[in-house]
Structures are given as C-alpha cells and as structure tokens.
Amino acid sequence: MSRMRFALYLSGMMASRWLMSAIAAVTLIGLLDSLANASDIADRAAELGAGGATEYLFQRLPIIFDRVLLITILLAVVLTYVSLVRRREIVALTAAGLSSTAQVLLLTPVTLLLGLFSLLIVDALMPPAVRALQSWGAPGYVLDRLSQDMPLWLSDEGRIVRIAEREGPDSFGEIEIYDIGSAGGMAAVTYAEAAHWSEDGGWTLDGTEVVGLTPGAPEPAPRWRSDVTPDALDRLISEPRDLSLADMRDLRSLRGSGSRPSFAYDAWYYHRLTRPLAGLVLVMCCVPLMQRLGRGSNGDLAMIGCLALGFGYLIFDGVMISFAEAGASRPAWAVGFPIGLFALLGVYLNLGRERTR
C-alpha cells in the first residue's frame, strides 16, 4: 500500500471522527446550556412566540463550536488511533515503514484543513449569532454592557464622545460629547440623557445641556450627526473573541475609540488565526503517545494520556490569553508560547518513539 493510500485512509478516518465529535459535542453542550437557562429562555420565548427557544439554541451553536474547536480535533485524533489500536492496525502501519513522525506528516494536511474549515465557519457564523442573541436579550447576552465605570469612548470628527449606558438596540443613555476647538482644547461639552438612532442617519438627542468652555458656547443641539451606526457601536461593545477577524483587525488598529485597549483585540486576532496550528500541535503530541501506550493494550490508557495532555494545553492556553487580554503579556508571545512549547514536546515524543523502534 503506497503512502498516498495510507494518507487517504488515515485522513478519512480522522475527518469522519472529527465530524462525529463536532456534532456530538456541540449538540450535547447546546442542550445542557438550554436546560441550564430554561427559565430565562422561557420568559423571553413567551415574547417571541413558540420559536424563541429553538432560535436561542440555533444561535448558540456557532458560539459553542468556537469554544470546543480544539476539543473536537483532539477527540478526532484520539478516536482514530483507538480504532487503529483495537484493530491491530498500528502494527501494520509500523511494519509498512510508517513511523510516528511519518504518520504525523500524513495527518498534517487533513488537520490543517479541518482547522481552517472550522475557522471559516466560526468567522462567518459566530458574529451575527452573537448580535442576534444580544438583540434578543438572551441569558449572558444582555444589551447593557456599559456603565459609569466602564464607558465607551469614541473619536468622531473632531469630537470625543463618552457613552455610559445601553438602553436598547438603537438607543444609548448618559451621553457626553466633547467638542474640540481649533487650538486643540475643549470648546464645549454637550450632556444628553439619551440618544436614538434615526433611519435618515445620525442620532436624536434627548435632554441636552451644553456647557461652554470658551466664549460663545453653542446652543443645545437636538442631533448628533455622525456616521457611527448602532452596528458599529455593537462591535465596539462586544467581547473581542465574539467578533470576526475583519472586525478585530479594524479595531486593533483603531486608536481613540472603544471600551477595550487595542492589545485585547490583538490577542484574540492572533489566537483565532493560530487555531489550525494549535490543532496540529495536539496531533503531534497524541500520535506518539497513542503508539507508545496503546500497543499491547486496548488503547484506554493511551486515550486517557492524550486527553490529559490536550486539556493541559487548553488550560495553559487559556491562562496565557487571559494574561494577554489584561495587558500582562505581549499578545503574540502569549498566543505563540503554548503552541511552541507543546510543539517541542511533540517533537521530543516523536523522536523518543523513533529511538525505541
């Protein structure tokens, strides 16, 4: 059997088990999530009709898939090799001259393709799902993520705008608009109780009061004319990991606007881009472990070892991305270090397997 046929055989096994793992994990966690929030969902579903609960479940699926992406790849490679061990096919692969390193190389294309396919699904489906859950008022996705302690700041055409309250999908409260004078200082401050988006563009202000800081202060304006739309404000308010790559790229280069620093967007931008590589690192570590622990047994010990190693990676990766999001570490370093460390571990395990052949 040629290497190409071995590659197709292993890739087909892994792809089918990845699909089964993804469907099972997303469905199970989605159902458990719905049960945990059943009372809140029922209250909201009563307002939206019989399809409300179903809508919540389907809108949550892309988000759950994003959270379990690496777990599905881990389960796929583990289940693939458990099948090989139990059918005594590991011996056949070794007898055909396929070392653990060669098997990793054969699985590299399918692993990267699965990771890239998953990334595209998450990037296309998750951001609109999050916005739908926010507008629906779903549990964990309340509209008001702003406060006096954590306001949203905007730089808008010679003005600095501060927003401290979210009242609805198209309305905000506690608005402060700072007009910048020609000399670069504050010329006036406009306070507004609320701002409502108008279909013809711009925001209608309620309860306005103007405090002039230079002679000739303007009269209270009933409108805040701006190109900033409710959708744009939603993106600024949303958690960085819930945005698309394009939005994260735009916001990471945006200065003077947002409720989070640019390095928070940097961290999640690099994190999502590197998920295919992270999946490949898990494959590098699991293949030699499955062969070392699985031969002569039914594969259960090898499966436990791989799952422990994989979840260890996920915990370490989560700690590092939290450091990056808080500004305690450089984003590229925080994202790359776990991948590099476990890649070295995978190389060590494969070389150790080569020496014991």
PDB file of all heavy atoms in Angstrom, residues 154 169-170 172 197-198 201-203 224 226-236:
ATOM      1  N   LEU A 154     -15.467  57.297  22.060  1.00  0.00           N
ATOM      2  CA  LEU A 154     -15.396  57.385  20.603  1.00  0.00           C
ATOM      3  C   LEU A 154     -14.668  58.656  20.201  1.00  0.00           C
ATOM      4  O   LEU A 154     -14.813  59.706  20.839  1.00  0.00           O
ATOM      5  CB  LEU A 154     -16.796  57.425  19.982  1.00  0.00           C
ATOM      6  CG  LEU A 154     -17.723  56.236  20.169  1.00  0.00           C
ATOM      7  CD1 LEU A 154     -19.103  56.580  19.655  1.00  0.00           C
ATOM      8  CD2 LEU A 154     -17.169  55.035  19.453  1.00  0.00           C
ATOM      9  N   PRO A 169     -31.604  48.314  21.464  1.00  0.00           N
ATOM     10  CA  PRO A 169     -30.798  48.016  20.279  1.00  0.00           C
ATOM     11  C   PRO A 169     -30.303  49.260  19.543  1.00  0.00           C
ATOM     12  O   PRO A 169     -29.199  49.247  19.006  1.00  0.00           O
ATOM     13  CB  PRO A 169     -31.752  47.191  19.404  1.00  0.00           C
ATOM     14  CG  PRO A 169     -32.759  46.634  20.349  1.00  0.00           C
ATOM     15  CD  PRO A 169     -32.924  47.658  21.428  1.00  0.00           C
ATOM     16  N   ASP A 170     -31.125  50.309  19.512  1.00  0.00           N
ATOM     17  CA  ASP A 170     -30.765  51.514  18.765  1.00  0.00           C
ATOM     18  C   ASP A 170     -30.755  52.759  19.631  1.00  0.00           C
ATOM     19  O   ASP A 170     -30.920  53.876  19.127  1.00  0.00           O
ATOM     20  CB  ASP A 170     -31.754  51.728  17.600  1.00  0.00           C
ATOM     21  CG  ASP A 170     -31.710  50.592  16.604  1.00  0.00           C
ATOM     22  OD1 ASP A 170     -30.628  49.995  16.439  1.00  0.00           O
ATOM     23  OD2 ASP A 170     -32.758  50.295  15.993  1.00  0.00           O
ATOM     24  N   PHE A 172     -28.976  54.734  23.311  1.00  0.00           N
ATOM     25  CA  PHE A 172     -27.979  54.778  24.370  1.00  0.00           C
ATOM     26  C   PHE A 172     -28.308  55.920  25.315  1.00  0.00           C
ATOM     27  O   PHE A 172     -29.032  56.863  24.959  1.00  0.00           O
ATOM     28  CB  PHE A 172     -26.574  54.974  23.788  1.00  0.00           C
ATOM     29  CG  PHE A 172     -26.072  53.799  22.988  1.00  0.00           C
ATOM     30  CD1 PHE A 172     -26.459  53.624  21.665  1.00  0.00           C
ATOM     31  CD2 PHE A 172     -25.240  52.856  23.564  1.00  0.00           C
ATOM     32  CE1 PHE A 172     -26.018  52.543  20.936  1.00  0.00           C
ATOM     33  CE2 PHE A 172     -24.794  51.769  22.843  1.00  0.00           C
ATOM     34  CZ  PHE A 172     -25.184  51.615  21.524  1.00  0.00           C
ATOM     35  N   TRP A 197     -31.081  56.316  17.428  1.00  0.00           N
ATOM     36  CA  TRP A 197     -30.662  56.294  16.030  1.00  0.00           C
ATOM     37  C   TRP A 197     -31.837  56.597  15.107  1.00  0.00           C
ATOM     38  O   TRP A 197     -32.939  56.067  15.285  1.00  0.00           O
ATOM     39  CB  TRP A 197     -30.075  54.929  15.669  1.00  0.00           C
ATOM     40  CG  TRP A 197     -29.680  54.793  14.230  1.00  0.00           C
ATOM     41  CD1 TRP A 197     -30.291  54.052  13.269  1.00  0.00           C
ATOM     42  CD2 TRP A 197     -28.562  55.415  13.598  1.00  0.00           C
ATOM     43  NE1 TRP A 197     -29.629  54.173  12.076  1.00  0.00           N
ATOM     44  CE2 TRP A 197     -28.552  55.005  12.244  1.00  0.00           C
ATOM     45  CE3 TRP A 197     -27.560  56.288  14.043  1.00  0.00           C
ATOM     46  CZ2 TRP A 197     -27.594  55.430  11.340  1.00  0.00           C
ATOM     47  CZ3 TRP A 197     -26.600  56.708  13.138  1.00  0.00           C
ATOM     48  CH2 TRP A 197     -26.621  56.284  11.805  1.00  0.00           C
ATOM     49  N   SER A 198     -31.616  57.466  14.135  1.00  0.00           N
ATOM     50  CA  SER A 198     -32.637  57.817  13.158  1.00  0.00           C
ATOM     51  C   SER A 198     -32.336  57.121  11.844  1.00  0.00           C
ATOM     52  O   SER A 198     -31.166  56.974  11.456  1.00  0.00           O
ATOM     53  CB  SER A 198     -32.674  59.337  12.931  1.00  0.00           C
ATOM     54  OG  SER A 198     -32.953  60.013  14.137  1.00  0.00           O
ATOM     55  N   GLY A 201     -30.071  58.688   9.288  1.00  0.00           N
ATOM     56  CA  GLY A 201     -28.672  58.876   9.652  1.00  0.00           C
ATOM     57  C   GLY A 201     -28.530  59.854  10.801  1.00  0.00           C
ATOM     58  O   GLY A 201     -29.254  60.851  10.893  1.00  0.00           O
ATOM     59  N   GLY A 202     -27.620  59.579  11.713  1.00  0.00           N
ATOM     60  CA  GLY A 202     -27.404  60.440  12.861  1.00  0.00           C
ATOM     61  C   GLY A 202     -28.236  60.010  14.060  1.00  0.00           C
ATOM     62  O   GLY A 202     -29.068  59.103  13.992  1.00  0.00           O
ATOM     63  N   TRP A 203     -27.981  60.700  15.175  1.00  0.00           N
ATOM     64  CA  TRP A 203     -28.617  60.363  16.446  1.00  0.00           C
ATOM     65  C   TRP A 203     -29.436  61.542  16.945  1.00  0.00           C
ATOM     66  O   TRP A 203     -28.983  62.686  16.922  1.00  0.00           O
ATOM     67  CB  TRP A 203     -27.556  60.007  17.487  1.00  0.00           C
ATOM     68  CG  TRP A 203     -26.741  58.806  17.134  1.00  0.00           C
ATOM     69  CD1 TRP A 203     -25.669  58.759  16.295  1.00  0.00           C
ATOM     70  CD2 TRP A 203     -26.956  57.468  17.588  1.00  0.00           C
ATOM     71  NE1 TRP A 203     -25.189  57.476  16.198  1.00  0.00           N
ATOM     72  CE2 TRP A 203     -25.952  56.664  16.984  1.00  0.00           C
ATOM     73  CE3 TRP A 203     -27.875  56.873  18.451  1.00  0.00           C
ATOM     74  CZ2 TRP A 203     -25.859  55.298  17.224  1.00  0.00           C
ATOM     75  CZ3 TRP A 203     -27.779  55.507  18.681  1.00  0.00           C
ATOM     76  CH2 TRP A 203     -26.781  54.737  18.071  1.00  0.00           C
ATOM     77  N   TRP A 224     -27.035  64.553  16.905  1.00  0.00           N
ATOM     78  CA  TRP A 224     -25.605  64.241  16.853  1.00  0.00           C
ATOM     79  C   TRP A 224     -25.379  63.593  15.492  1.00  0.00           C
ATOM     80  O   TRP A 224     -25.669  62.441  15.274  1.00  0.00           O
ATOM     81  CB  TRP A 224     -25.224  63.303  17.993  1.00  0.00           C
ATOM     82  CG  TRP A 224     -23.869  62.660  17.845  1.00  0.00           C
ATOM     83  CD1 TRP A 224     -22.786  63.159  17.184  1.00  0.00           C
ATOM     84  CD2 TRP A 224     -23.474  61.377  18.345  1.00  0.00           C
ATOM     85  NE1 TRP A 224     -21.736  62.284  17.222  1.00  0.00           N
ATOM     86  CE2 TRP A 224     -22.120  61.175  17.948  1.00  0.00           C
ATOM     87  CE3 TRP A 224     -24.101  60.385  19.092  1.00  0.00           C
ATOM     88  CZ2 TRP A 224     -21.408  60.027  18.266  1.00  0.00           C
ATOM     89  CZ3 TRP A 224     -23.394  59.237  19.411  1.00  0.00           C
ATOM     90  CH2 TRP A 224     -22.065  59.077  19.009  1.00  0.00           C
ATOM     91  N   SER A 226     -23.478  61.870  12.794  1.00  0.00           N
ATOM     92  CA  SER A 226     -22.308  61.003  12.812  1.00  0.00           C
ATOM     93  C   SER A 226     -22.546  59.806  11.906  1.00  0.00           C
ATOM     94  O   SER A 226     -23.686  59.404  11.658  1.00  0.00           O
ATOM     95  CB  SER A 226     -22.024  60.510  14.245  1.00  0.00           C
ATOM     96  OG  SER A 226     -20.997  59.552  14.252  1.00  0.00           O
ATOM     97  N   ASP A 227     -21.453  59.251  11.398  1.00  0.00           N
ATOM     98  CA  ASP A 227     -21.515  58.024  10.597  1.00  0.00           C
ATOM     99  C   ASP A 227     -21.466  56.772  11.469  1.00  0.00           C
ATOM    100  O   ASP A 227     -21.528  55.654  10.952  1.00  0.00           O
ATOM    101  CB  ASP A 227     -20.349  57.984   9.601  1.00  0.00           C
ATOM    102  CG  ASP A 227     -20.447  59.085   8.554  1.00  0.00           C
ATOM    103  OD1 ASP A 227     -21.583  59.492   8.237  1.00  0.00           O
ATOM    104  OD2 ASP A 227     -19.385  59.532   8.068  1.00  0.00           O
ATOM    105  N   VAL A 228     -21.327  56.947  12.774  1.00  0.00           N
ATOM    106  CA  VAL A 228     -21.277  55.816  13.694  1.00  0.00           C
ATOM    107  C   VAL A 228     -22.684  55.243  13.848  1.00  0.00           C
ATOM    108  O   VAL A 228     -23.590  55.905  14.356  1.00  0.00           O
ATOM    109  CB  VAL A 228     -20.712  56.242  15.061  1.00  0.00           C
ATOM    110  CG1 VAL A 228     -20.683  55.049  16.017  1.00  0.00           C
ATOM    111  CG2 VAL A 228     -19.312  56.818  14.900  1.00  0.00           C
ATOM    112  N   THR A 229     -22.883  54.007  13.424  1.00  0.00           N
ATOM    113  CA  THR A 229     -24.194  53.364  13.456  1.00  0.00           C
ATOM    114  C   THR A 229     -24.323  52.475  14.696  1.00  0.00           C
ATOM    115  O   THR A 229     -23.333  52.174  15.359  1.00  0.00           O
ATOM    116  CB  THR A 229     -24.391  52.500  12.202  1.00  0.00           C
ATOM    117  OG1 THR A 229     -23.408  51.443  12.223  1.00  0.00           O
ATOM    118  CG2 THR A 229     -24.206  53.331  10.928  1.00  0.00           C
ATOM    119  N   PRO A 230     -25.547  52.028  15.015  1.00  0.00           N
ATOM    120  CA  PRO A 230     -25.695  51.083  16.128  1.00  0.00           C
ATOM    121  C   PRO A 230     -24.875  49.809  15.945  1.00  0.00           C
ATOM    122  O   PRO A 230     -24.337  49.268  16.916  1.00  0.00           O
ATOM    123  CB  PRO A 230     -27.203  50.790  16.137  1.00  0.00           C
ATOM    124  CG  PRO A 230     -27.820  52.017  15.561  1.00  0.00           C
ATOM    125  CD  PRO A 230     -26.859  52.489  14.514  1.00  0.00           C
ATOM    126  N   ASP A 231     -24.769  49.318  14.698  1.00  0.00           N
ATOM    127  CA  ASP A 231     -23.955  48.117  14.463  1.00  0.00           C
ATOM    128  C   ASP A 231     -22.491  48.371  14.798  1.00  0.00           C
ATOM    129  O   ASP A 231     -21.805  47.500  15.356  1.00  0.00           O
ATOM    130  CB  ASP A 231     -24.087  47.669  13.009  1.00  0.00           C
ATOM    131  CG  ASP A 231     -25.421  47.001  12.726  1.00  0.00           C
ATOM    132  OD1 ASP A 231     -26.086  46.581  13.698  1.00  0.00           O
ATOM    133  OD2 ASP A 231     -25.799  46.916  11.550  1.00  0.00           O
ATOM    134  N   ALA A 232     -21.991  49.559  14.440  1.00  0.00           N
ATOM    135  CA  ALA A 232     -20.598  49.890  14.756  1.00  0.00           C
ATOM    136  C   ALA A 232     -20.390  49.958  16.269  1.00  0.00           C
ATOM    137  O   ALA A 232     -19.367  49.499  16.788  1.00  0.00           O
ATOM    138  CB  ALA A 232     -20.220  51.218  14.109  1.00  0.00           C
ATOM    139  N   LEU A 233     -21.362  50.514  16.986  1.00  0.00           N
ATOM    140  CA  LEU A 233     -21.247  50.571  18.445  1.00  0.00           C
ATOM    141  C   LEU A 233     -21.333  49.173  19.054  1.00  0.00           C
ATOM    142  O   LEU A 233     -20.644  48.879  20.039  1.00  0.00           O
ATOM    143  CB  LEU A 233     -22.355  51.464  19.007  1.00  0.00           C
ATOM    144  CG  LEU A 233     -22.237  52.956  18.682  1.00  0.00           C
ATOM    145  CD1 LEU A 233     -23.421  53.716  19.269  1.00  0.00           C
ATOM    146  CD2 LEU A 233     -20.930  53.535  19.198  1.00  0.00           C
ATOM    147  N   ASP A 234     -22.161  48.302  18.463  1.00  0.00           N
ATOM    148  CA  ASP A 234     -22.245  46.920  18.948  1.00  0.00           C
ATOM    149  C   ASP A 234     -20.892  46.229  18.854  1.00  0.00           C
ATOM    150  O   ASP A 234     -20.490  45.489  19.757  1.00  0.00           O
ATOM    151  CB  ASP A 234     -23.280  46.133  18.145  1.00  0.00           C
ATOM    152  CG  ASP A 234     -24.707  46.460  18.558  1.00  0.00           C
ATOM    153  OD1 ASP A 234     -24.885  46.968  19.681  1.00  0.00           O
ATOM    154  OD2 ASP A 234     -25.624  46.223  17.758  1.00  0.00           O
ATOM    155  N   ARG A 235     -20.184  46.453  17.755  1.00  0.00           N
ATOM    156  CA  ARG A 235     -18.873  45.834  17.597  1.00  0.00           C
ATOM    157  C   ARG A 235     -17.878  46.355  18.626  1.00  0.00           C
ATOM    158  O   ARG A 235     -17.032  45.608  19.126  1.00  0.00           O
ATOM    159  CB  ARG A 235     -18.352  46.063  16.176  1.00  0.00           C
ATOM    160  CG  ARG A 235     -19.080  45.245  15.125  1.00  0.00           C
ATOM    161  CD  ARG A 235     -18.362  45.285  13.807  1.00  0.00           C
ATOM    162  NE  ARG A 235     -18.479  46.580  13.162  1.00  0.00           N
ATOM    163  CZ  ARG A 235     -19.463  46.922  12.344  1.00  0.00           C
ATOM    164  NH1 ARG A 235     -20.416  46.051  12.081  1.00  0.00           N
ATOM    165  NH2 ARG A 235     -19.506  48.111  11.786  1.00  0.00           N
ATOM    166  N   LEU A 236     -17.973  47.643  18.947  1.00  0.00           N
ATOM    167  CA  LEU A 236     -17.069  48.215  19.949  1.00  0.00           C
ATOM    168  C   LEU A 236     -17.373  47.680  21.345  1.00  0.00           C
ATOM    169  O   LEU A 236     -16.468  47.534  22.173  1.00  0.00           O
ATOM    170  CB  LEU A 236     -17.187  49.740  19.943  1.00  0.00           C
ATOM    171  CG  LEU A 236     -16.549  50.464  18.750  1.00  0.00           C
ATOM    172  CD1 LEU A 236     -16.952  51.924  18.745  1.00  0.00           C
ATOM    173  CD2 LEU A 236     -15.041  50.337  18.782  1.00  0.00           C
TER     174      LEU A 236
END
